[in-house]
Amino acid sequence: SERRKSLEEKARIEERLQNKVTELSIMNEISEVLLSTRELNEILHMILIGATAYQALGFNRAFLFLISDDATALEGRVATGSLSAGEAYQIWDSLSHEKHTLKALLQSRQGGLSKEDEPINSLVRQMKISLTGAESIFTVCVHEGKSFNVMNGFENPLIDKGFLALLGTGDFALVPLASRGKPLGVLLADNFINREAITDEDVERLRAFANHASLAIENSNLYQTLEEKLDELSSAYN
């Protein structure tokens, strides 16, 4: 009946609104913690937690690449997640019993990597992606600010097969990190363990999150530059 259809539509709208409120609340919580520190390494680690924590975006793994000093390449800096299903499910089970709030989880990781992340960080530091020469999804992501929901990446001519071999999957989300129009790097996330399909909505949420992350990175860079200038002035004065 028309009344039943109307009630069902109302329920769907209310569910979408509730999901949006929850999403905004999560983003606000992440942004608050991200902007509470100026230490770049702490910020990078917290970005990874925001992308992978089940209380937040919930991807299986996340990889963060920053633009090299000479702007010719993306360099793998930090990553989080497991390289095997057995290891992943063991860690997830442990975390589910600990019942951390998102803020507590973010703050618990200030200052360094967890032991579980050592293997994947060894992997990400092997990854270097050229931003010169032939066009790739990475050059487009960095220079044009476009996001990608990559499926069957091994068949995509714009993705280096050697990179995919290291990553271990051809399905991932890729979003730019940029602040005030200045490219900073990219954030890549995947569902390597549970193989759950990444939706366009997942990519949009990751991109919104990356905007908050970019602001925190830029603030850290500005603070570092200011500290260096103050040290120069102090030395000159002395």
Side-chain angles (χ1 to χ4, degrees), residues 7-180:
L7 288 172
E8 288 174 351
E9 180 62 20
K10 183 183 176 210
R12 281 195 294 270
I13 291 170
E14 286 176 349
E15 185 182 2
R16 285 200 297 269
L17 284 172
Q18 185 56 51
N19 288 341
K20 199 66 181 174
V21 168
T22 302
E23 185 181 320
L24 289 171
S25 174
I26 288 169
M27 290 299 178
N28 184 60
E29 197 170 349
I30 292 172
S31 182
E32 182 184 330
V33 179
L34 276 174
L35 295 174
S36 68
T37 178
R38 298 185 183 93
E39 289 296 322
L40 183 59
N41 282 337
E42 290 185 2
I43 290 167
L44 299 185
H45 296 151
M46 285 190 279
I47 290 169
L48 298 179
I49 292 171
T52 56
Y54 69 88
Q55 304 97 320
L57 299 185
F59 287 93
N60 290 179
R61 306 189 304 178
F63 299 77
L64 206 153
F65 300 80
L66 295 182
I67 293 177
S68 61
D69 291 338
D70 61 6
T72 63
L74 286 166
E75 297 177 335
R77 289 291 297 271
V78 288
T80 192
S82 302
L83 299 180
S84 71
E87 179 188 349
Y89 287 114
Q90 186 178 352
I91 293 167
W92 293 345
D93 183 61
S94 171
L95 286 172
S96 69
H97 286 98
E98 291 175 15
K99 303 295 182 187
H100 287 304
T101 65
L102 178 58
K103 183 176 284 189
L105 188 60
L106 288 162
Q107 291 172 336
S108 73
R109 285 287 298 277
Q110 287 184 356
L113 294 167
S114 71
K115 189 175 180 181
E116 292 87 358
D117 280 335
E118 288 174 4
I120 200 168
N121 274 274
S122 176
L123 173 68
V124 77
R125 285 190 287 268
Q126 298 175 45
M127 297 176 171
K128 189 170 183 176
I129 303 157
S130 176
L131 293 176
T132 61
E135 183 183 75
S136 71
I137 65 165
F138 294 97
T139 61
V140 174
C141 185
V142 168
H143 299 311
E144 300 180 27
K146 289 186 178 178
S147 299
F148 292 90
N149 185 1
V150 176
M151 291 175 275
N152 301 317
F154 287 99
E155 298 174 12
N156 190 325
L158 296 180
I159 308 174
D160 179 71
K161 302 305 178 286
F163 171 79
L164 292 177
L166 279 176
L167 190 64
T169 179
D171 302 329
F172 58 88
L174 184 72
V175 297
L177 294 166
S179 181
R180 300 178 181 89

Side-chain angles (χ1 to χ4, degrees), residues 88 178 193:
I193 302 299

